Amino acid sequence: MKAPVRVAVTGAAGQIGYSLLFRIASGDMLGPDQPVILQLLEVPPAMDAVQGVMMELDDCAFPLLVGLQASDQAEEAFRDADYILLVGAKPRGPGMERKDLLEANAAIFSVQGKAMNAVASRDVRVLAVGNPANTNALIAQRNAPDLDPRCFTAMTRLDHNRALAQLANRTGTHVTDIQKLTVWGNHSATQYPDISHAVVDGKAAGDLVDQAWLEESFIPTVQQRGAAIIKARGQSSAASAASAAIDHMRDWTLGTQEDDWVSMAIPSDGSYGITEGIIYSFPVRCSGGRYEIVQDLAIDDFSRERMSATEQELIEERDAVQHLLP
Ligand code: NAD
Ligand code: LMR
């Protein structure tokens, strides 16, 4: 058994938290040989509910769960944290875009960025799930100047997984038959799910589907999936979001498959001409606990136009929260 690691989760009493915590504690995120200490953060009115979740975690008798605590103070919850999953934030309702949450949620990420700067492990891995996730990750990062900027990521793995499922359905294959799919940009309706490098059962995906399906069905379905779920369920996605968060952290920590890559929103280093510093989703490979952008993919005009549109939206979101970016 390895030495225990500390995993902080915000919004622990929320819907995503309720799916996420049990999977972290069972070893789905960091592996069957990695004991974890869970450090939960909630707002004061939700502390009773958090106690209930903790009772249930106890009642699972998870062999890998070796510590469990909750707080309404970020500096307590983030102390020495090796992993921080920033889930606590308001979800959108019907008819809203995720960026409509910017005003309500941005302040949370500035306070929490400062707290992790003060107390988290210097090698912490941070994942922003709360929306608008990319810009919230940027706010946290810029408020944590003593941490490596590359510690901060946002979640587009749910979009990646949604795109895999759509393409598998269309081609009559299984998600495990598909490699090298990419979601570029923002976790929003401008995101660009790109199959131009994807391989399905050893064949180029572009040869298996037609352009009309791609433009009129695949791309809009993936872009609008969150809204479709809110319409159907009356609440935003939760179990699938938790599952994607597990996938994101697991692959970042334990590595991606040899012949594949995943989509992660990370600080742009200017690759593919994307504005430096914004938290933009790229194709990445992970190994040894580090991620690297997959380089030198050919980008045609169709892709470039969509990559630029989602980049532009992230620049606008960044500019709208300048006052929170020291
Ligand atoms: P929820 O309302 O069920 O739970 C959110 C929880 O966060 C609540 O318990 C609330 O008390 C808590 N919270 C609020 N402010 C907090 C703070 N400052 N510190 C700690 N906790 C705080 O919402 P949910 O369905 O769990 O969704 C959470 C967020 O995740 C939303 O913003 C939602 O839009 C987002 N989301 C993102 C993705 C993605 O793919 N990136 C997917 C699904 C949902
Ligand atoms: C999702 O993609 O399901 C989440 O971001 C929730 C939402 O607001 O769509």
Side-chain angles (χ1 to χ4, degrees), residues 3-316:
V5 292
R6 295 178 182 275
V7 182
V9 179
T10 75
Q15 327 179 66
I16 296 176
Y18 196 67
S19 288
L20 181 60
L21 295 170
F22 298 86
R23 293 197 53 196
I24 298 172
S26 73
D28 282 356
M29 186 168 96
L30 298 172
D33 57 349
Q34 179 58 72
V36 294
I37 299 167
L38 282 174
Q39 305 186 166
L40 313 183
L41 181 68
E42 257 297 348
V43 292
M47 290 313 283
D48 279 349
V50 156
Q51 291 303 325
V53 175
M54 291 170 77
M55 287 157 69
E56 287 202 68
L57 281 162
D58 278 343
D59 294 350
C60 292
F62 286 120
L64 291 170
L65 185 59
V66 297
L68 180 58
Q69 62 196 59
S71 175
D72 57 11
Q73 299 298 315
E75 292 209 358
E76 214 172 299
F78 294 165
R79 189 163 300 283
D80 299 323
D82 302 293
Y83 300 85
I84 300 179
L85 291 91
L86 297 170
V87 180
K90 198 171 176 288
R92 66 172 164 158
M96 293 171 77
E97 286 299 334
R98 295 181 189 91
K99 66 182 166 202
D100 297 336
L101 294 168
L102 204 45
E103 208 169 311
N105 289 339
I108 297 175
F109 292 82
S110 133
V111 171
Q112 292 181 355
K114 290 185 175 72
M116 61 187 85
N117 192 54
V119 301
S121 156
R122 298 302 89 176
D123 294 323
V124 65
R125 294 191 177 94
V126 180
L127 170 63
V129 174
N131 279 318
N134 301 51
T135 299
N136 287 338
L138 179 69
I139 294 169
Q141 180 212 53
R142 295 278 286 272
N143 283 278
D146 302 333
L147 295 174
D148 181 345
R150 284 171 51 90
C151 297
F152 291 84
T153 67
M155 192 163 94
T156 49
R157 185 60 175 266
L158 180 53
D159 310 293
H160 183 102
N161 289 347
R162 287 167 171 168
L164 285 176
Q166 292 299 318
L167 185 58
N169 280 344
R170 179 70 179 185
T171 53
T173 60
H174 189 260
V175 287
T176 51
D177 297 323
I178 304 175
Q179 288 91 35
K180 300 185 178 171
L181 185 147
T182 306
V183 172
W184 300 93
N186 199 3
H187 173 62
S188 76
T190 66
Q191 67 177 272
Y192 170 44
D194 174 13
I195 66 154
S196 57
H197 309 98
V199 176
V200 182
D201 227 353
K203 301 178 202 79
D207 294 342
L208 301 177
V209 297
D210 56 84
Q211 191 65 18
W213 177 77
L214 193 69
E215 288 186 46
E216 288 156 30
S217 178
F218 174 73
I219 294 174
T221 298
V222 177
Q223 288 175 330
Q224 295 295 338
R225 189 68 160 184
I229 288 167
I230 292 170
K231 188 157 177 267
R233 243 170 60 83
Q235 284 189 302
S236 64
S237 66
S240 57
S243 197
I246 295 278
D247 290 346
H248 177 114
M249 285 304 212
R250 183 199 57 228
D251 288 351
W252 185 1
T253 307
L254 301 177
T256 43
Q257 303 287 322
E258 187 108 322
D259 55 348
D260 201 2
W261 62 64
V262 295
S263 305
M264 284 171 65
I266 58 172
S268 170
D269 62 358
S271 292
Y272 295 98
I274 300 302
T275 304
E276 251 178 81
I278 57 172
I279 308 287
Y280 189 95
S281 181
F282 287 98
V284 300
R285 288 199 177 96
C286 307
S287 91
R290 295 180 65 79
Y291 57 77
E292 293 298 337
I293 297 174
V294 178
Q295 298 291 344
D296 300 325
L297 298 174
I299 305 294
D300 61 16
D301 291 346
F302 181 86
S303 292
R304 177 55 66 187
E305 193 185 318
R306 284 158 183 78
M307 288 163 65
S308 298
T310 190
E311 175 191 19
Q312 195 50 44
E313 183 182 45
L314 281 169
I315 292 169
E316 284 162 19

